[in-house]
């Protein structure tokens, strides 16, 4: 067994254990919803690369400890400290390492199974939803909530959202709304919704899957341990596609405000609460990701947007309002969509 230690209290925050031909790596910051630090990302990268080259390891499992969630994303408090103390490059270095890890997971040469449960947001989606075999519990809460804090979907989230049915990607990116695990297969964020019993005892079931391809593992788990999926989001498809198929963020909002569907009014309120700069960045990022259909390009685009947005006032203000002071009353700058530097954002996504 190997682990990476938390320097504050010496509790291992990443634990890796080998059971015969199975490698199991666990996120272990349950009190912080397994929020990712640079040390955790570095250890995950190291372990996965070692096991990729180890011929005795046939299958890898990635899970998060604690009942509350798989991973809530990056450690937002660390991000806030970096961008408010002039350590912007530290922030970018961490994101670059995280994005490389997400891409490694997406191209992993062996069956790599991820199990999303509870809170799985932002960076947690990056770990869970790019793997060869993506499992989720029905009660998991998933999403890319970055627009709430003056940021934009990253960790390949724009690529995943771009491939969601219709224009649900723009809706979830711009609104920062979440969806349940039962909807994750429909959204393209998971392959199988699994029963809670299977999730709790997954290690006991994996021996039967050794030697199978990722596609065969997905089929076997779906037949033996699959739980019902939800297709509730299909009911939203009509009004979402009408509003979010617009050609500009401004037109999206105009369409929402003109619609009589009550859910459209609620969506308009969600967008109005988020950073105008983030709304625009999310819209253009998802659109470009859909046109390109390449995860690596999406990650590179997201890093360019991060490099831009971290120097804007909204990111520090959003984290302050949502995470530090928790007054839920951010003062965005610019406060109006019409004042956002949209030409610059469009240029960044198309480089």
């Amino acid at each position: 067994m190997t682990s990476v230690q938390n320097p504050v209290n010496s509790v291992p925050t990443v634990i890796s254990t080998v059971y015969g031909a199975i490698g199991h790596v666990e996120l272990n910051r349950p009190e912080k919803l397994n929020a990712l630090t640079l040390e955790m990302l570095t250890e995950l990268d190291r372990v996965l690369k070692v096991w990729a080259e180890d011929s005795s390891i046939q299958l890898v499992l990635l899970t998060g400890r604690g009942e509350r969630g798989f991973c809530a994303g990056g450690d937002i408090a660390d991000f806030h400290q970096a961008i408010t103390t002039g350590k912007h490059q530290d922030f970018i270095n961490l994101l670059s390492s995280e994005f490389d890890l997400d891409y490694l997971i997406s191209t992993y040469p062996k069956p790599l199974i991820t199990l999303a449960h509870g809170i799985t947001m932002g960076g947690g989606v990056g770990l869970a939803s790019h793997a060869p075999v993506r499992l989720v519990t029905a009660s998991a809460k998933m999403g890319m909530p970055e627009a709430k804090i003056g940021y934009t979907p990253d960790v390949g989230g724009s690529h995943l959202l771009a491939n969601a049915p219709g224009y649900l990607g723009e809706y979830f990116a711009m609104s920062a709304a979440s969806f349940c695990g039962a909807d994750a297969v429909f959204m393209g964020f998971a392959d199988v919704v699994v029963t809670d019993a299977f999730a709790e005892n997954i290690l006991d079931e994996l021996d039967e899957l050794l030697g199978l391809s990722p596609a065969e593992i997905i089929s076997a788990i779906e037949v033996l341990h699959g739980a019902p999926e939800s297709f509730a989001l299909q009911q939203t498809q009509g009004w979402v596609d009408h509003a979010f198929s617009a050609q500009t963020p401004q037109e999206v909002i105009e369409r929402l405000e003109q619609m009589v569907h009550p859910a459209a009014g609620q969506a308009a309120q969600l967008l109005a609460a988020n950073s105008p700069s983030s709304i625009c960045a999310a819209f253009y990022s998802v659109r470009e990701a859909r046109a390109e259909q390449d995860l690596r390009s999406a990650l590179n685009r997201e890093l360019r947007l991060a490099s831009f947005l971290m120097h804007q006032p909204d990111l520090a203000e959003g984290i302050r309002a949502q995470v530090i002071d928790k007054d839920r009353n951010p003062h965005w700058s610019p406060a109006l969509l019409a004042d956002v530097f949209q030409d610059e954002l469009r240029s960044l996504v198309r480089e």
Side-chain angles (χ1 to χ4, degrees):
M1 181 180 78
T2 63
S3 62
V4 57
Q5 301 290 324
N6 184 321
V8 176
N9 55 21
S10 297
V11 174
T13 53
V14 172
I15 300 172
S16 54
T17 312
V18 175
Y19 303 95
I22 299 169
H24 183 200
V25 60
E26 302 171 272
L27 308 177
N28 187 35
R29 287 185 80 198
E31 74 285 355
K32 296 290 187 180
L33 290 173
N34 294 317
L36 298 167
T37 64
L38 178 60
E39 291 76 17
M40 293 171 72
L41 294 168
T42 300
E43 178 68 0
L44 285 168
D45 182 79
R46 185 194 70 80
V47 170
L48 291 179
K49 286 179 177 175
V50 168
W51 286 351
E53 299 297 325
D54 187 341
S55 60
S56 68
I57 303 293
Q58 297 182 38
L59 183 150
V60 175
L61 173 67
L62 171 59
T63 62
R65 285 193 174 184
E67 295 182 358
R68 295 170 61 204
F70 168 72
C71 176
D75 194 313
I76 301 297
D78 286 353
F79 292 166
H80 187 265
Q81 182 179 25
I83 62 177
T84 56
T85 58
K87 298 180 180 178
H88 296 78
Q89 191 59 47
D90 290 348
F91 182 25
I92 289 298
N93 291 344
L94 183 146
L95 290 177
S96 181
S97 297
E98 183 175 13
F99 294 4
D100 287 345
L101 174 61
D102 296 330
Y103 190 71
L104 169 66
I105 288 172
S106 77
T107 58
Y108 207 67
K110 298 179 180 181
L112 168 56
I113 301 173
T114 56
L115 174 60
H117 78 282
I119 301 298
T120 302
M121 299 280 184
V125 169
L127 296 180
S129 295
H130 296 303
V133 181
R134 308 168 301 168
L135 309 181
V136 65
T137 61
S139 61
K141 185 177 181 181
M142 304 186 79
M144 303 301 297
E146 290 80 6
K148 289 182 180 179
I149 61 166
Y151 190 46
T152 189
D154 63 356
V155 299
S158 64
H159 176 76
L160 291 165
L161 290 167
N163 286 283
Y167 292 87
L168 285 168
E170 281 87 342
Y171 165 68
F172 281 105
M174 297 172 74
S175 69
S178 59
F179 53 90
C180 69
D183 286 314
V185 175
F186 178 72
M187 282 291 296
F189 281 60
D191 298 306
V192 184
V193 181
V194 296
T195 64
D196 290 338
F198 175 74
E200 292 170 6
N201 301 285
I202 187 170
L203 272 173
D204 296 333
E205 306 287 346
L206 295 186
D207 282 340
E208 303 295 326
L209 304 177
L210 292 174
L212 300 182
S213 69
E216 291 169 334
I217 291 173
I218 290 168
S219 296
I221 292 176
E222 185 170 21
V223 170
L224 297 173
H225 306 289
E229 298 175 24
S230 167
F231 296 94
L233 287 177
Q234 284 183 323
Q235 306 304 314
T236 71
Q237 206 63 64
W239 72 264
V240 166
D241 284 357
H242 173 72
F244 289 87
S245 61
Q247 295 305 303
T248 66
Q250 295 98 317
E251 189 181 348
V252 168
I253 293 174
E254 290 169 3
R255 291 186 182 184
L256 288 172
E257 292 173 343
Q258 293 166 1
M259 294 171 67
V260 297
H261 197 295
Q266 294 168 5
Q269 292 176 5
L270 290 175
L271 266 63
N274 294 339
S275 160
S277 297
S278 294
I279 288 172
C280 294
F283 177 87
Y284 293 122
S285 182
V286 170
R287 282 289 163 91
E288 194 65 20
R290 184 178 293 119
E292 259 192 357
Q293 288 296 317
D294 183 80
L295 175 59
R296 184 72 261 181
S297 293
L299 291 165
N300 293 340
R301 181 182 308 109
E302 292 165 354
L303 195 62
R304 293 196 301 271
L305 286 170
S307 299
F308 174 77
L309 292 172
M310 72 177 183
H311 289 285
Q312 307 306 308
D314 278 3
L315 182 53
E317 172 62 8
I319 296 175
R320 180 207 64 77
Q322 300 291 347
V323 180
I324 307 298
D325 297 338
K326 297 183 179 179
D327 58 28
R328 308 293 192 264
N329 186 33
H331 299 283
W332 304 124
S333 178
L336 299 176
L337 202 67
D339 296 329
V340 174
F341 300 111
Q342 295 196 42
D343 288 342
E344 189 164 2
L345 289 172
R346 281 192 292 264
S347 177
L348 281 170
V349 301
R350 293 170 181 168
E351 282 184 10

